[in-house]
Amino acid sequence: MSDDWLDRVKWDDRGLVAAVAQESETGRLLMLAWMNRDALRLTRESGHAVYWSRSRAKLWHKGESSGHRQEVKSIRLDCDGDAILLEVVQRGGIACHTGRHNCFFRKLEDDRWVEVEPVLKDPKAIYVR
Amino acid sequence: MSDDWLDRVKWDDRGLVAAVAQESETGRLLMLAWMNRDALRLTRESGHAVYWSRSRAKLWHKGESSGHRQEVKSIRLDCDGDAILLEVVQRGGIACHTGRHNCFFRKLEDDRWVEVEPVLKDPKAIYVR
């Protein structure tokens, strides 16, 4: 299989590209993470989101410990080639490691970040495996 | 006015944070760009999206030459503090410099990036000023 499509991505000096996951059913934004070449290839091949964890410096099969996998419906690339958009089905309805639906749960109100998304599940109950 | 809220953002080693703009009316993702501290403060103060152009190394008041400004309805920060989500009204219905509604116009189909969004306006007609 040709890797031309991977060469079209403008990887940064760390070999990464920003990837945003959007929930297909609701259109809500779930998270922003990073992918390297292997992560994007594996996402394409497996049909489930695979990211590159910068903190752990390893491939991160989203949901591998939480079960909150992301089934990928489509993969898009932006005009500059340096941002990816995944349309996904979020298993468990929880994308964030804090147990919330999505990671963008702090909203700016009067110069304060206010938490506006409820914790749907205690993280202690998510990461038991 | 306190700058505490700006200190809560985890700026990277270039002093930047990734910022995603989502269209409030449709929920569609428009673009991913970058902000430095001044860009985020100006976005907050002006109510219109201001980014940091990495290629031009200067503040980029989105729409300054195209007229395609982004009126900001809300600003969110993610769990790690290193990604911003803007909910915006996109003036002119065009976010991309190619004249398309949004920048994510290439979709992966059979290992090829296929352009799936129409050009709504010729860029030559957009950047006349």
Side-chain angles (χ1 to χ4, degrees):
Chain A
M1 213 179 310
S2 166
D3 273 358
D4 285 354
W5 67 281
L6 285 166
D7 296 332
R8 297 287 295 277
V9 178
K10 206 155 81 189
W11 308 100
D12 71 11
D13 50 13
R14 302 162 299 178
L16 302 179
V17 69
V20 175
Q22 183 174 30
E23 192 169 48
S24 60
E25 199 183 354
T26 64
R28 298 187 71 192
L29 215 63
L30 296 172
M31 54 185 284
L32 185 150
W34 295 86
M35 289 183 168
N36 65 2
R37 195 176 169 100
D38 283 343
L40 182 53
R41 182 195 285 117
L42 286 168
T43 296
R44 157 76 180 75
E45 287 174 6
S46 70
H48 288 89
V50 180
Y51 302 103
W52 175 257
S53 169
R54 293 174 303 167
S55 56
R56 289 178 285 158
K58 58 180 273 198
L59 285 172
W60 165 30
H61 294 256
K62 170 74 181 160
E64 61 192 343
S65 50
S66 65
H68 297 155
R69 309 214 306 169
Q70 295 177 335
E71 184 188 327
V72 176
K73 311 302 277 185
S74 72
I75 302 176
R76 287 180 177 230
L77 182 66
D78 80 346
C79 53
D80 296 327
D82 63 357
I84 295 278
L85 169 59
L86 301 180
E87 179 195 357
V88 306
V89 174
Q90 177 62 60
R91 296 291 169 215
I94 294 176
C96 188
H97 74 286
T98 63
R100 294 177 173 87
H101 170 266
N102 66 77
C103 298
F104 295 95
F105 58 81
R106 290 184 284 181
K107 188 174 176 179
L108 190 61
E109 293 180 3
D110 298 328
D111 294 342
R112 279 175 46 238
W113 297 108
V114 178
E115 295 185 358
V116 293
E117 300 278 344
V119 173
L120 301 175
K121 192 170 178 180
D122 186 336
K124 290 194 201 80
I126 296 176
Y127 299 97
V128 291
R129 283 177 280 189
Chain B
M1 213 180 309
S2 166
D3 273 358
D4 284 354
W5 67 281
L6 285 165
D7 296 332
R8 298 286 296 277
V9 177
K10 206 156 82 190
W11 308 100
D12 71 11
D13 50 13
R14 302 163 299 178
L16 302 179
V17 69
V20 175
Q22 184 174 28
E23 192 169 48
S24 60
E25 199 183 355
T26 63
R28 299 187 70 192
L29 214 63
L30 296 172
M31 55 185 282
L32 185 149
W34 296 86
M35 288 182 170
N36 65 3
R37 194 176 169 100
D38 284 343
L40 183 53
R41 182 195 284 117
L42 286 169
T43 296
R44 156 78 180 74
E45 288 175 2
S46 71
H48 287 89
V50 180
Y51 302 103
W52 174 257
S53 169
R54 293 175 303 166
S55 57
R56 289 178 285 159
K58 57 180 272 195
L59 286 172
W60 165 29
H61 293 257
K62 170 73 179 161
E64 61 192 342
S65 49
S66 66
H68 297 155
R69 308 213 308 169
Q70 294 177 335
E71 184 188 327
V72 175
K73 311 301 277 184
S74 72
I75 301 176
R76 287 181 178 230
L77 182 65
D78 81 345
C79 53
D80 296 327
D82 63 357
I84 295 279
L85 169 58
L86 301 180
E87 178 196 357
V88 305
V89 174
Q90 177 63 59
R91 297 290 169 215
I94 294 174
C96 188
H97 73 288
T98 63
R100 294 176 173 87
H101 170 266
N102 65 78
C103 297
F104 295 96
F105 58 82
R106 291 185 283 181
K107 188 174 177 179
L108 191 61
E109 293 181 2
D110 299 328
D111 293 342
R112 280 175 47 239
W113 298 106
V114 178
E115 295 184 359
V116 293
E117 301 278 345
V119 174
L120 302 175
K121 192 170 178 181
D122 185 338
K124 289 195 201 81
I126 296 176
Y127 299 97
V128 291
R129 283 177 282 188

